[in-house]
DNA sequence: GAGTGGTATTTAGTTTGGGTAATGAGTTAC
DNA sequence: GTAACTCATTACCCAAACTAAATACCACTC
């Protein structure tokens, strides 16, 4: 196994990555498209859009949140008509959570608004820098889900 | 001005970037080296390490938190002996915040532990992916501070 | 088929970390 | 010298996560 991150450059990169991710994350929290939806609620909708449907437990693991938190989030989303809860076919302990059409529409709108915000931010980057970021996006996503 | 992010690929990258940053940010929050230090407190120490010293107001702007939050953070850091407060030379309203030697030592230890955590995560990436991320780190940091 | 151990979700209560509004002290401009 | 502004702070509030405990269900053993 290559000793990926134990040289000086990579150590610096790790530090840089960490602080940038945390700072950007904090700023993104304030850019919510729908004031009534928390960042994690948005993220759950995103996950459902990718994965189809899932149980609360699966969602909690994917979002790295404790099960009770996911219970609350799912309940709020259901109250807003953004997800549907159905009984699990094989296991009556579990539930199946899936998004509604309303959620899909909201996600599309949200994507547009988020892009506008990031576009404004990205105007401070030059073409090369943006290209670098574009290449890194899928890798970052993979890393986040490891 | 180049229309950086309005093609399909870039829109996808933006979405990907956002969810990855938020998820990674949430996971990083849990990887605190010192249980008694919040992520933002760590981030403030990092900023001080880079910038030397700063006033609470400057720190608040750099970390994108409100001044009262920074007051509280600085007070906690001072109580832990990690920062020193001195009167501002020219303006008696302001204060100068700088890190102590103890903070420097803690940051070094923290860096080691963080690297270990990220190393474990990064083992799921191949060499090319890590290289991509390494290149992106400074750009992400620039973006976060724009 | 009753009992036991384990898992999924939920309920209740707590912590935390940040925000807004209002205050006090100090500076700057007129 | 006073009015307007800025920096830091104080007091209060809220959102969103957590832990621990309770409930409902499954699976396996005897």
């Amino acid at each position: 196994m290559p000793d990926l991150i134990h040289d000086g450059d990579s150590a610096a990169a790790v530090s840089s990555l960490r602080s940038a991710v945390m700072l950007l994350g904090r700023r993104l929290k304030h850019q919510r498209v729908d004031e009534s939806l928390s960042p994690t609620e948005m993220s759950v909708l995103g996950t459902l859009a990718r994965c189809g449907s899932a149980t609360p437990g699966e969602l909690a693991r994917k979002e790295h949140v404790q099960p009770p938190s996911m219970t609350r989030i799912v309940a709020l989303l259901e109250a807003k008509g953004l997800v549907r809860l159905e009984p699990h076919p094989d296991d009556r302990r579990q539930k199946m959570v899936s998004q509604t059409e309303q959620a899909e529409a909201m996600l599309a709108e949200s994507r547009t608004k988020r892009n506008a915000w990031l576009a404004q931010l990205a105007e401070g980057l030059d073409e090369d820098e943006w290209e670098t970021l574009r290449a890194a996006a899928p890798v970052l996503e993979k890393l986040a889900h490891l």
Side-chain angles (χ1 to χ4, degrees), chain A residues 12-128:
Chain A
V14 163
S15 266
S16 172
L17 206 58
R18 177 183 186 269
S19 72
V21 163
M22 299 195 57
L23 182 52
L24 244 192
R26 214 172 316 130
R27 297 187 66 185
L28 274 167
K29 270 177 63 172
H30 293 290
Q31 290 304 323
R32 42 182 82 173
V33 277
D34 180 339
E35 268 315 307
S36 67
L37 241 54
S38 86
T40 309
E41 287 170 317
M42 281 300 303
S43 182
V44 167
L45 288 182
T47 300
L48 283 177
R50 279 195 311 276
C51 306
S53 63
T55 68
E58 284 168 354
L59 286 173
R61 278 188 295 277
K62 279 183 183 151
E63 300 291 325
H64 292 95
V65 158
Q66 295 304 308
S69 304
M70 193 48 71
T71 294
R72 192 174 21 78
I73 290 167
V74 166
L76 288 172
L77 289 176
E78 193 195 13
K80 286 169 191 151
L82 296 170
V83 303
R84 206 188 330 274
L85 271 84
E86 285 154 18
H88 194 282
D90 307 332
D91 187 338
R92 278 186 297 169
R93 288 172 305 182
Q94 305 186 57
K95 296 177 179 173
M96 292 307 297
V97 186
S98 54
Q99 66 172 356
T100 63
E101 307 69 34
Q102 191 183 339
E104 231 160 322
M106 217 213 54
L107 272 180
E109 185 205 351
S110 131
R111 203 167 297 125
T112 304
K113 289 200 190 176
R114 282 201 309 265
N115 283 6
W117 183 76
L118 255 186
Q120 196 187 352
L121 208 62
E123 275 168 16
L125 298 178
D126 62 35
E127 189 74 47
D128 282 353

Side-chain angles (χ1 to χ4, degrees), chain A residues 4-18:
Chain A
L4 289 177
I5 70 156
H6 294 106
D7 58 289
D9 279 2
S10 292
V14 163
S15 266
S16 172
L17 206 58
R18 177 183 186 269

